[in-house]
Amino acid sequence: MNKKSNTKNNTGSKVKSNTGSSVGSKAKNNTKGKVSRNKKNKENQVLALTGMGLMAVQFIISIIFMAVLHYVDMVPLKYKFLVGLVLILCVVLGLIAQRWKIPGIITKVLSLFMSVILILGIVYIGYTRGAIERIMGNNSKTVDIAVYVRNDDPAKELQDINGYSCGKLATVDADNTDLMTDYIDSSTNIKLDYIDYNSIIEMVDALLSGKVKCIILNTAYLGIFEEMDGYTEVPSKIRAVFTKTFESKLEDSNAEENYLQSDDVICIYVSGIDTTGPVSTVSRSDVNILLFINTNTHQILMINTPRDYYVPLSISSGARDKLTHAGIYGIDVSKKTLEMLYGANVDYYFKLNFTGCVNIINELGGVDVYSEYDFSTQQTWGYHFNRGYNHVDGEGALAFARERYAFTEGDRQRGKNQMAIIKAVIEKMTSSTSMLTNYTNILNAIAKSMATDMPYEKIGDLVKMQLNSMPSWDVQTYSVDGTGERRTTFSMSSSQLLYVMIPNESTVNQAKEYISQMYRNERISVN
């Protein structure tokens, strides 16, 4: 009986023990399962919240991007609407994808990538507008006026010339001269004995001969002496003891009723100066190209006028001078002089500093320029160009654009080569990745070497027009011609003969006919 009892107890004990162990194991497993599920739920919640946070950031950045895009005002409305719609869809799809783990992770990565891209876009678009604004709307000019003494004069600075006799111009460039005399008389304690002269040559001769001890002269005139017989060494015989830069507004260029004008045609004067310093500084203009853009026929006509063209200046009362000398008095004088020559209103100007353009071309990695001739440069030693395309850096491009002595056509061919450089730069900017990879440096170089009075809104309209219809442009070029002679000029002495180009009126009339066809919305073909 004890054995049965023990057996019963043992069996009961075993049964009870096994049952309890099984229930406990199940409870423990259930607890672990709950913990695991809770952990996964929390992980999913964290992932979802992270995804929603990233989408919220992307949405905010998208709003900022669209605001900047609208502020720049160079993208057509339909494209802005399309970009905005795509950005909203990306955010919505990203939010929906957070319901699933793998799609959620993918959209998180994409959201980070897109946010970075949008931030870069905001920076670059804002930078673009800033650079363009530095170029556009420039309606001022700066002129450097200096007080010169002879090289052997002991004077070193302005106070050293107190009591000196001082030559100044009474007629030519008198306005600029008066800026300096007014400054000296009103802002310094220096007293000068002024003597008026009617020509630069007479005034310089007076200084070199000792009749006066100093002179006041626009520094832009120094370059003229290089082309004058007997005066090429003047810049090395005189020395500036004081130089001051004066800034003034350009004269308003009101449209002449009897000149050609049209809503479909924009006429831009492209002036190229070969100087250092600010592009707004007045200087002789070595490049003088009228650019006619017909937004209806999508043709561009470039008319080149040689720098030595012998024409009346807008300020000379009919007296003739080299076209390049007009730049000494300001780009507004050059612009109006060309209006008189061709009978068409010039709407805006673009002033290029060709020395500064060296930096642009270098930042682009050089350009491929087409040469009509095989030649070696004489003005800049060490350059040779083959007929056909030549890859040039900035310095080579400048040598190519400046050369004229290597050609029988002289300045005529130089004008064509300058247009070739401009065309090569445009082609490189529009067809190469250099513009993207070195974007900010190129914009900086452009801003430093270019100025225009064209308002930002007009540039925006042209860009939007191009993006709306993406037209292809037909570019036609023409150069007026003439014969070389030596004549007196308005800017210099009546006794001093300078090399000029007497206009060939038939080529001027042909240019006028091409221009008229542009304004009549006719397709032109330059032979």
Side-chain angles (χ1 to χ4, degrees), residues 79-80 103 459:
Y79 291 124
K80 285 193 286 189
I459 290 291

Side-chain angles (χ1 to χ4, degrees), residues 11-277:
T11 305
S13 175
K14 286 180 181 179
V15 171
K16 186 175 183 180
S17 175
N18 290 339
T19 303
S21 175
S22 176
V23 171
S25 176
K26 287 182 179 179
K28 187 181 288 186
N29 289 337
N30 289 338
T31 302
K32 287 181 179 180
K34 288 181 181 179
V35 170
S36 178
R37 284 194 296 272
N38 289 337
K39 187 176 181 181
K40 287 182 179 180
N41 288 336
K42 286 182 179 179
E43 288 177 355
N44 290 336
Q45 288 176 359
V46 170
L47 287 172
L49 289 173
T50 302
M52 287 187 286
L54 288 172
M55 294 304 151
V57 171
Q58 181 183 330
F59 181 68
I60 293 171
I61 295 174
S62 298
I63 292 175
I64 297 173
F65 178 84
M66 291 304 300
V68 172
L69 198 65
H70 178 73
Y71 169 71
V72 170
D73 197 24
M74 285 192 175
V75 179
L77 183 60
K78 63 180 181 181
Y79 291 124
K80 285 193 286 189
F81 176 79
L82 182 61
V83 170
L85 182 61
V86 169
L87 292 177
I88 291 173
L89 285 175
C90 287
V91 172
V92 172
L93 292 175
L95 288 172
I96 294 173
Q98 300 314 304
R99 298 171 59 186
W100 302 281
K101 184 176 182 178
I102 301 302
I105 292 174
I106 293 173
T107 53
K108 288 181 185 67
V109 174
L110 292 176
S111 177
L112 282 171
F113 178 76
M114 182 168 286
S115 294
V116 171
I117 294 297
L118 289 173
I119 290 171
L120 289 175
I122 291 168
V123 172
Y124 276 90
I125 292 172
Y127 193 91
T128 300
R129 168 134 190 171
I132 293 175
E133 284 181 339
R134 293 201 301 273
I135 299 169
M136 305 298 167
N138 191 321
N139 198 35
S140 65
K141 60 182 177 181
T142 57
V143 57
D144 293 332
I145 309 295
V147 180
Y148 291 95
V149 297
R150 293 193 320 188
N151 261 342
D152 57 0
D153 194 289
K156 302 296 182 183
E157 49 192 23
L158 188 61
Q159 54 261 37
D160 296 337
I161 66 170
N162 191 31
Y164 274 26
S165 56
C166 182
K168 70 181 184 69
L169 294 170
T171 52
V172 177
D173 206 35
D175 291 342
N176 286 328
T177 300
D178 290 344
L179 292 174
M180 179 62 89
T181 58
D182 290 344
Y183 172 79
I184 292 174
D185 294 343
S186 62
S187 303
T188 72
N189 295 322
I190 305 301
K191 301 297 180 184
L192 299 175
D193 181 17
Y194 297 115
I195 300 175
D196 288 339
Y197 290 93
N198 292 320
S199 78
I200 296 171
I201 295 300
E202 291 177 9
M203 186 174 72
V204 169
D205 285 342
L207 175 63
L208 297 178
S209 65
K211 291 182 180 179
V212 294
K213 298 194 68 177
C214 67
I215 61 172
I216 296 174
L217 186 65
N218 182 341
T219 60
Y221 277 103
L222 292 182
I224 298 180
F225 293 114
E226 298 172 0
E227 48 188 271
M228 296 172 59
D229 292 338
Y231 290 87
T232 56
E233 295 183 0
V234 166
S236 63
K237 291 181 177 180
I238 62 177
R239 173 171 46 83
V241 294
F242 179 71
T243 303
K244 184 170 177 59
T245 300
F246 297 92
E247 183 175 356
S248 60
K249 291 292 183 183
L250 293 170
E251 292 184 22
D252 292 333
S253 182
N254 297 320
E256 296 286 345
E257 292 183 359
N258 58 325
Y259 288 168
L260 293 173
Q261 50 190 309
S262 168
D263 292 337
D264 293 327
V265 180
I266 301 170
C267 178
I268 300 171
Y269 168 44
V270 180
S271 170
I273 60 173
D274 188 12
T275 62
T276 56

Side-chain angles (χ1 to χ4, degrees), residues 227-473:
E227 48 188 271
M228 296 172 59
D229 292 338
Y231 290 87
T232 56
E233 295 183 0
V234 166
S236 63
K237 291 181 177 180
I238 62 177
R239 173 171 46 83
V241 294
F242 179 71
T243 303
K244 184 170 177 59
T245 300
F246 297 92
E247 183 175 356
S248 60
K249 291 292 183 183
L250 293 170
E251 292 184 22
D252 292 333
S253 182
N254 297 320
E256 296 286 345
E257 292 183 359
N258 58 325
Y259 288 168
L260 293 173
Q261 50 190 309
S262 168
D263 292 337
D264 293 327
V265 180
I266 301 170
C267 178
I268 300 171
Y269 168 44
V270 180
S271 170
I273 60 173
D274 188 12
T275 62
T276 56
V279 70
S280 59
T281 303
V282 299
S283 175
R284 293 176 300 163
S285 181
D286 288 337
V287 179
N288 300 279
I289 297 172
L290 288 184
L291 192 69
F292 296 89
I293 304 172
N294 190 311
T295 57
N296 184 21
T297 63
H298 301 129
Q299 273 198 311
I300 295 174
L301 172 66
M302 285 195 288
I303 301 290
N304 175 63
T305 309
R307 69 187 294 278
D308 294 324
Y309 231 47
Y310 195 52
V311 294
L313 305 187
S314 64
I315 60 170
S316 66
S317 301
R320 290 180 179 261
D321 202 339
K322 290 186 176 192
L323 175 60
T324 185
H325 290 174
I328 295 173
Y329 311 104
I331 196 168
D332 46 345
V333 176
S334 298
K335 188 165 72 168
K336 290 178 181 178
T337 298
L338 288 170
E339 286 181 336
M340 291 167 52
L341 178 62
Y342 294 110
N345 272 308
V346 177
D347 300 301
Y348 309 105
Y349 77 81
F350 269 86
K351 192 174 184 182
L352 306 172
N353 184 326
F354 261 64
T355 303
C357 281
V358 168
N359 296 328
I360 298 176
I361 293 172
N362 283 337
E363 295 294 351
L364 284 169
V367 296
D368 296 320
V369 62
Y370 185 83
S371 175
E372 296 180 347
Y373 299 98
D374 186 285
F375 70 96
S376 296
T377 57
Q378 298 179 29
Q379 285 179 276
T380 306
W381 183 83
Y383 287 93
H384 179 82
F385 299 96
N386 299 315
R387 182 177 180 181
Y389 282 99
N390 298 262
H391 185 79
V392 295
D393 60 8
E395 290 74 14
L398 184 60
F400 183 86
R402 294 180 64 186
E403 183 58 41
R404 58 173 169 164
Y405 297 120
F407 310 109
T408 55
E409 292 185 334
D411 200 50
R412 305 171 186 84
Q413 186 59 40
R414 175 163 67 171
K416 294 178 182 178
N417 287 351
Q418 289 163 352
M419 287 191 287
I421 288 291
I422 293 173
K423 183 178 179 181
V425 171
I426 293 173
E427 289 176 347
K428 186 65 178 285
M429 284 185 170
T430 56
S431 63
S432 171
T433 57
S434 299
M435 191 68 187
L436 297 175
T437 57
N438 211 12
Y439 186 71
T440 56
N441 288 339
I442 293 171
L443 275 184
N444 274 331
I446 291 173
K448 290 177 181 178
S449 62
M450 182 184 296
T452 181
D453 61 345
M454 180 181 286
Y456 183 91
E457 292 75 17
K458 189 64 178 179
I459 290 291
D461 290 343
L462 289 174
V463 173
K464 284 186 281 189
M465 177 203 70
Q466 180 69 21
L467 292 175
N468 262 324
S469 54
M470 296 301 290
S472 58
W473 292 87

